[in-house]
Amino acid sequence: MVTHPLVTAFEKITRVRLPEHPVIRYETVCVLGGSIAGLLAARVLADHARTVVIVERDPMDADGNPRAGVPQGHQVHGIGPAGLQLLEQWFPGLTEDARSLGATLVGPDGIITYVDSTRQLQSGTTSLLVCSRPLLESRIRRRVLALAPVRTLKAQATGLDFHGERVTAVRYTTDEGPGTLAADLVVDAMGRAGRLPDWLEQAGYERPGLERMRTGMQYATALFERTGRHLTDPEQTAAQFTLPPGPGGLAVALAQPVENRQWLIGITCYAEGNPPQTVEDFRALCEKLPGPFAEAAMGTVTREPAHFHQADSRRRDFTSLSRFPHRLISIGDAVASMNAAYGQGMSSAALQASCLSDHLNRNPDPDAPADSFFAAQAMVVDALWSFSAGADQARQDAIDGVEVPPEIRQARAARQQLAQAALVDETVNEALKAVAFGLAHPLTLTDPALLDRAAAVNRRAAEPS
């Protein structure tokens, strides 16, 4: 077992509890952005503010329809165990609420994964809540908007006002014209394309450093009617490909049972790949994949293919700034947006909101930069980034023939050992999935006993029978 401060700190963030006796620290908090990260921040802040105003340009109803401000909303989304356990703490009964509307709680026996066409061991403990992004977001939004302190403002945020070293107000515009909202705390949840770095620079502050990992991932998702045995015994199936990629440059294929008795089939291709453009293309590709893909794609089409392109993964560094305004934080994709093929986005938003809850429970000085929050958030983001962007970088380096330092080469070899052993060894499989699902820090995978076990498993598998 690895004993390291980061391992302990990460584990703590996965199980931060809401305060039993909340202390009101702010009169008015303004959350910029009503997507999942903004909603979760609003939920946490509702215990610490008299009024929480969510500024969002899209309608904030709870009808479950895709929003214009979420162009990726038609694509496959998932909430991993780390995120789901936090959601259940903040919104008791949310899982059953979603299930009543057609979401599926897929148990360990129903989560099937193929890696380069080899079926991986199933997890003995993991369950996943499977539904469309609009359904889950609408259930969260309904719960948040029912909280007494929460208000909404249908507007576009256009800037911030500063006095001394603190943020004092949000500037916005509506259909009726511009306005200003005074705030004791501002939360930037405007996503990866948010303009906060520009606003900081215009006010004389530093821009947070931006790291970009080129991926060029292309996504295509379609919906098909779900029939036969999968109506009562649904499963989620994933097919992952590394080097070489799968058919058509395929990176990941997912078949998910979603609401209204549908299969949601998502195809993610590497930059050099060719995602299916038509229903016929979907069916032809699914014929080449293992598991139920071919059967799922033969159902009646209920939504034509939707496409999305993400050029890179991004993260911003708020911990190395020498000067940053008080009463301002960023959260969600505004801080880190990773390759969606790894399914970590929603769990990342939940874990970052848990960092905010932990920060507020510590009675922070509001008139000082939120250093402890940003430090905890960076720890969470680093952990998720190392798992997803680290794998993307390793793949790109292999394609480009990049010679990496020995320590990186050794770390990548160790991860490959673990991935190979996870196909047949339950202990290694559970350790790897705990990290992939955001339940454990990646440093847990450096446990010498675990690495020795993986090496022994792989040696035995290579021996002649």
Side-chain angles (χ1 to χ4, degrees):
M1 179 180 294
V2 175
T3 56
H4 191 283
L6 288 177
V7 172
T8 303
F10 189 92
E11 182 183 359
K12 178 183 177 183
I13 290 299
T14 66
R15 47 187 175 82
V16 170
R17 312 300 298 178
L18 290 173
E20 293 184 8
H21 305 288
V23 176
I24 300 301
R25 307 186 187 285
Y26 307 101
E27 287 296 321
T28 301
V29 171
C30 187
V31 178
L32 307 182
S35 196
I36 287 179
L39 291 171
L40 298 185
R43 169 62 191 93
V44 168
L45 287 160
D47 287 331
H48 300 278
R50 300 195 189 282
T51 303
V52 178
V53 182
I54 302 174
V55 178
E56 170 57 55
R57 60 186 176 183
D58 287 340
M60 288 288 285
D61 52 40
D63 59 9
N65 291 321
R67 296 189 296 110
V70 188
Q72 73 276 26
H74 291 285
Q75 307 303 319
V76 171
H77 283 73
I79 179 72
L84 187 57
Q85 67 186 19
L86 288 168
L87 291 186
E88 273 296 326
Q89 181 200 158
W90 296 329
F91 312 107
L94 179 71
T95 298
E96 289 306 312
D97 181 17
R99 291 180 70 186
S100 72
L101 296 174
T104 301
L105 187 66
V106 181
D109 293 342
I111 303 171
I112 300 171
T113 303
Y114 294 84
V115 178
D116 294 331
S117 297
T118 300
R119 183 163 172 169
Q120 194 171 24
L121 282 180
Q122 289 168 270
S123 170
T125 58
T126 301
S127 295
L128 298 176
L129 181 64
V130 179
C131 60
S132 70
R133 157 79 181 247
L135 173 61
L136 181 60
E137 184 174 318
S138 70
R139 295 299 89 193
I140 295 172
R141 182 181 301 112
R142 184 178 69 86
R143 295 291 193 95
V144 172
L145 298 188
L147 298 171
V150 178
R151 308 283 186 271
T152 62
L153 175 62
K154 188 176 183 301
Q156 172 74 53
T158 57
L160 300 174
D161 286 342
F162 300 84
H163 180 74
E165 291 296 308
R166 61 159 290 186
V167 172
T168 57
V170 172
R171 284 180 272 120
Y172 63 86
T173 183
T174 68
D175 292 341
E176 286 72 41
T180 301
L181 175 66
D184 302 303
L185 176 70
V186 175
V187 179
D188 163 33
M190 294 183 289
R192 63 188 268 139
R195 294 197 57 208
L196 179 65
D198 296 334
W199 299 345
L200 290 171
E201 190 172 52
Q202 291 163 10
Y205 292 94
E206 298 174 71
R207 299 176 69 94
L210 175 62
E211 180 179 354
R212 304 174 75 160
M213 170 62 209
R214 177 169 55 90
T215 61
M217 303 303 286
Q218 305 175 73
Y219 307 93
T221 301
L223 286 167
F224 299 86
E225 183 181 13
R226 178 160 43 99
T227 59
R229 68 181 180 88
H230 290 296
L231 276 178
T232 56
D233 187 25
E235 61 189 31
Q236 172 180 280
T237 302
Q240 303 174 9
F241 296 88
T242 51
L243 279 175
L250 180 64
V252 176
L254 274 170
Q256 292 186 322
V258 297
E259 62 272 16
N260 299 322
R261 298 184 172 186
Q262 299 173 104
W263 281 112
L264 187 151
I265 302 180
I267 304 296
T268 303
C269 289
Y270 294 110
E272 65 273 17
N274 182 29
Q277 300 297 307
T278 66
V279 172
E280 291 72 25
D281 292 340
F282 257 89
R283 288 175 171 155
L285 176 58
C286 287
E287 286 284 349
K288 302 175 184 177
L289 299 179
F293 284 95
E295 177 187 344
M298 289 308 297
T300 301
V301 178
T302 57
R303 194 195 71 203
E304 295 288 323
H307 297 86
F308 183 71
H309 173 73
Q310 188 181 54
D312 53 26
S313 297
R314 303 179 185 180
R315 65 173 174 176
R316 292 185 170 89
D317 179 13
F318 289 85
T319 62
S320 60
L321 299 174
S322 60
R323 179 170 167 258
F324 191 77
H326 309 165
R327 299 177 181 260
L328 175 65
I329 66 168
S330 279
I331 202 167
D333 281 1
V335 177
S337 59
M338 290 158 281
N339 185 343
Y342 295 89
Q344 294 180 313
M346 290 187 183
S347 290
S348 174
L351 288 167
Q352 291 181 53
S354 187
C355 292
L356 177 59
S357 181
D358 182 59
H359 172 71
L360 293 172
N361 290 342
R362 294 173 180 271
N363 192 27
D365 179 0
D367 288 314
D371 292 339
S372 67
F373 164 74
F374 282 122
Q377 181 187 59
M379 179 267 298
V380 166
V381 168
D382 285 347
L384 300 179
W385 181 272
S386 70
F387 192 83
S388 59
D392 288 338
Q393 186 65 65
R395 179 182 183 275
Q396 194 60 52
D397 287 346
I399 292 172
D400 297 339
V402 174
E403 188 68 26
V404 298
E407 62 272 17
I408 294 179
R409 187 165 61 249
Q410 291 168 6
R412 290 176 178 176
R415 177 162 169 174
Q416 185 58 39
Q417 283 268 26
L418 292 169
Q420 184 66 31
L423 297 175
V424 295
D425 185 86
E426 183 175 349
T427 298
V428 178
N429 182 47
E430 291 293 333
L432 201 58
K433 283 188 173 177
V435 174
F437 288 143
L439 293 167
H441 193 277
L443 280 174
T444 58
L445 300 179
T446 65
D447 182 358
L450 183 69
L451 294 172
D452 288 345
R453 182 185 183 96
V457 166
N458 293 333
R459 281 197 303 270
R460 287 195 298 270
E463 293 173 355
S465 57

